[in-house]
Amino acid sequence: MQEALAKHRQLQSSVIFMILILKTSYPISAFQIFRTSIEIMERNHHRSFKKVKRTTEVASEKESQSDSDPPLYICEGVFAVSKPLEWTSSDVVTYIRKMLERDAKERGFVEPPKRGRKPLIKCGHGGTLDPLATGVLVIGVGKGTKHLQSYLSGAKRYRAGVRLGIQTTTLDLDPTAQIVQEKPFGHVTKVSIEQVLPQFTGKIMQVPPLFSALRKDGKRLHEQARSGKTEADVEIEPRQVEIFDLKLLTTIEQEEGLPGYFGLDVDCGGGTYIRSLVRDIGHKLDTVATMSSLVRTKQGVFETQHCLCKADWTPEKIYDAIEKSSRLLLPVDAGEKGSTTPGAFNYQCEIEPVLSTKTLSTVISKHGSLSTSEEVTTAT
């Protein structure tokens, strides 16, 4: 109390001194000076009071929440799902985030005052898969989103289907793609393919597809493609990527006697475009090629057996998967790479085999057959 009184007297003395100084310097009345000084003091006092009040309210809210109140997350971390065909990676994140938000509210979690458009649940993915690709997609929930960057730049493994003889605008069999080039491929044999593949292992230079999320001149490449620009209009700089291992696979189409198809098993670093790899292999074989299907079989320590299928996307199974996935990962603070224990858990999620007839028919049935055109059309 004494301290507050002393500060009040000091403030009065300061105001009186300021009045005397201003009165001798400016032709205004002492009353006007005094009133202005009081207004300034009141504004400053009001701001300080609001700040103290808000701090007190936040502290009261935290104190009012007991340990028994339902938490926002049952647990936080990363896990893997099997991305369904035709879903975007963002579709998966949005679906899971909204599901976990509903679960938190149903458990009795009280949502705090909203600040802007920030979502209640933090959720993200560790590396985009195109809509026509399936397989392992790492998802981060809560604090797990902080570790997703390592999956973006980390190693991945894919099974890709290759169709010889055509090259499309999107470098895959997107239903809206147009064939821009056709070349014969009868001279291509298993031996010639195996002779070419070693040229694409190690560190190589690769030109990304025009239909990609990379930016050029401030705009994403796929946006420029949709505006009517072609590869001849947009100069895309090659980038260095790394292919650790590249193997030839037998496909279902080959077994069924369909010519011009083969598969690839690709173990690569982050930033590698499999569509571009297929295109470049086609050129080396003195023909053209387009990626007909893509399955990501591994991302980081996560493999297909660790993935939750769409039918198992429930809050209970997602939180259970986060807990089980933590056993695959060593503590981040230890600065060591994660390790996997075979058979630690297996969801037995069936993923479409590379170049399955079912997958191809799903894609191609939307437009009957790909039409030949030099014009770039909008891709979904």
Side-chain angles (χ1 to χ4, degrees):
M1 187 69 179
Q2 294 294 332
E3 184 179 354
L5 183 60
K7 288 184 178 180
H8 180 70
R9 287 174 179 173
Q10 184 180 3
L11 184 61
Q12 280 184 329
S13 301
S14 300
V15 171
I16 293 172
F17 178 74
M18 185 172 63
I19 290 172
L20 294 174
I21 295 297
L22 292 176
K23 185 170 177 61
T24 58
S25 304
Y26 300 94
I28 56 177
S29 66
F31 175 74
Q32 289 175 317
I33 297 173
F34 180 77
R35 185 176 63 182
T36 302
S37 302
I38 293 300
E39 289 175 355
I40 294 173
M41 291 165 55
E42 287 179 345
R43 283 200 297 268
N44 291 337
H45 175 73
H46 181 66
R47 290 170 184 167
S48 300
F49 177 76
K50 286 180 66 178
K51 185 176 180 180
V52 172
K53 182 179 179 182
R54 177 56 188 161
T55 303
T56 304
E57 289 176 350
V58 171
S60 299
E61 289 176 2
K62 291 182 178 180
E63 291 177 0
S64 62
Q65 293 180 352
S66 64
D67 295 336
S68 61
D69 287 341
L72 177 58
Y73 304 97
I74 299 297
C75 61
E76 303 174 62
V78 296
F79 68 107
V81 299
S82 176
K83 190 191 80 64
L85 185 67
E86 298 183 327
W87 283 52
T88 68
S89 299
S90 296
D91 289 341
V92 176
V93 169
T94 301
Y95 185 93
I96 291 175
R97 184 181 67 243
K98 290 183 177 180
M99 176 192 298
L100 296 182
E101 286 178 349
R102 289 193 300 269
D103 173 70
K105 293 176 183 179
E106 290 173 359
R107 287 187 285 103
F109 176 79
V110 179
E111 185 175 358
K114 291 185 177 180
R115 298 180 180 179
R117 298 182 178 180
K118 190 175 181 180
L120 181 63
I121 292 284
K122 289 183 179 181
C123 188
H125 65 77
T128 302
L129 273 176
D130 292 336
L132 297 185
T134 59
V136 182
L137 181 66
V138 175
I139 302 294
V141 174
K143 295 179 181 178
T145 56
K146 297 180 181 179
H147 306 305
L148 291 176
Q149 184 60 39
S150 62
Y151 292 96
L152 287 169
S153 57
K156 304 172 181 68
R157 197 173 192 96
Y158 297 92
R159 291 202 314 264
V162 181
R163 179 177 176 181
L164 293 171
I166 63 170
Q167 181 172 314
T168 68
T169 51
T170 59
L171 301 183
D172 62 11
L173 293 184
D174 188 286
T176 62
Q178 303 292 322
I179 294 177
V180 294
Q181 193 175 6
E182 292 184 84
K183 291 185 71 173
F185 56 88
H187 61 282
V188 179
T189 64
K190 179 181 178 182
V191 174
S192 63
I193 296 173
E194 291 177 337
Q195 289 176 343
V196 163
L197 294 187
Q199 301 178 38
F200 293 93
T201 56
K203 294 181 179 180
I204 63 173
M205 299 303 293
Q206 184 184 81
V207 177
L210 181 59
F211 280 85
S212 64
L214 298 178
R215 291 184 180 274
K216 173 74 174 180
D217 299 328
K219 292 185 64 178
R220 295 194 183 278
L221 291 178
H222 64 76
E223 293 175 351
Q224 299 187 49
R226 287 168 180 153
S227 68
K229 292 186 177 181
T230 65
E231 291 184 354
D233 303 319
V234 182
E235 185 179 351
I236 307 174
E237 295 81 6
R239 307 189 311 168
Q240 181 176 279
V241 297
E242 188 168 9
I243 310 293
F244 305 117
D245 192 25
L246 184 59
K247 295 178 181 178
L248 178 64
L249 296 177
T250 301
T251 66
I252 292 177
E253 280 67 22
Q254 286 177 317
E255 294 174 355
E256 294 178 352
L258 297 177
Y261 289 94
F262 65 90
L264 294 172
D265 182 74
V266 187
D267 188 359
C268 60
T272 304
Y273 281 92
I274 307 301
R275 286 177 290 155
S276 294
L277 177 64
V278 169
R279 173 201 61 200
D280 297 341
I281 290 175
H283 292 166
K284 281 291 182 180
L285 292 170
D286 195 25
T287 182
V288 290
T290 289
M291 189 183 77
S292 56
S293 65
L294 184 67
V295 179
R296 183 188 283 165
T297 58
K298 186 177 181 181
Q299 184 176 10
V301 300
F302 294 98
E303 301 183 50
T304 53
Q305 69 265 26
H306 304 137
C307 294
L308 277 180
C309 292
K310 172 64 172 58
D312 295 326
W313 292 0
T314 64
E316 295 79 12
K317 291 188 177 181
I318 286 174
Y319 285 126
D320 179 66
I322 292 175
E323 290 183 354
K324 290 180 177 178
S325 297
S326 64
R327 302 170 193 169
L328 294 175
L329 307 170
L330 292 174
V332 177
D333 295 338
E336 301 177 23
K337 295 182 179 180
S339 61
T340 179
T341 304
F345 60 99
N346 190 339
Y347 289 113
Q348 297 181 344
C349 182
E350 293 185 2
I351 295 178
E352 288 287 348
V354 63
L355 274 177
S356 71
T357 305
K358 178 181 177 182
T359 301
L360 285 173
S361 62
T362 301
V363 175
I364 297 178
S365 64
K366 291 188 174 182
H367 52 79
S369 61
L370 294 171
S371 60
T372 303
S373 173
E374 295 295 335
E375 191 176 340
V376 178
T377 59
T378 303
T380 56

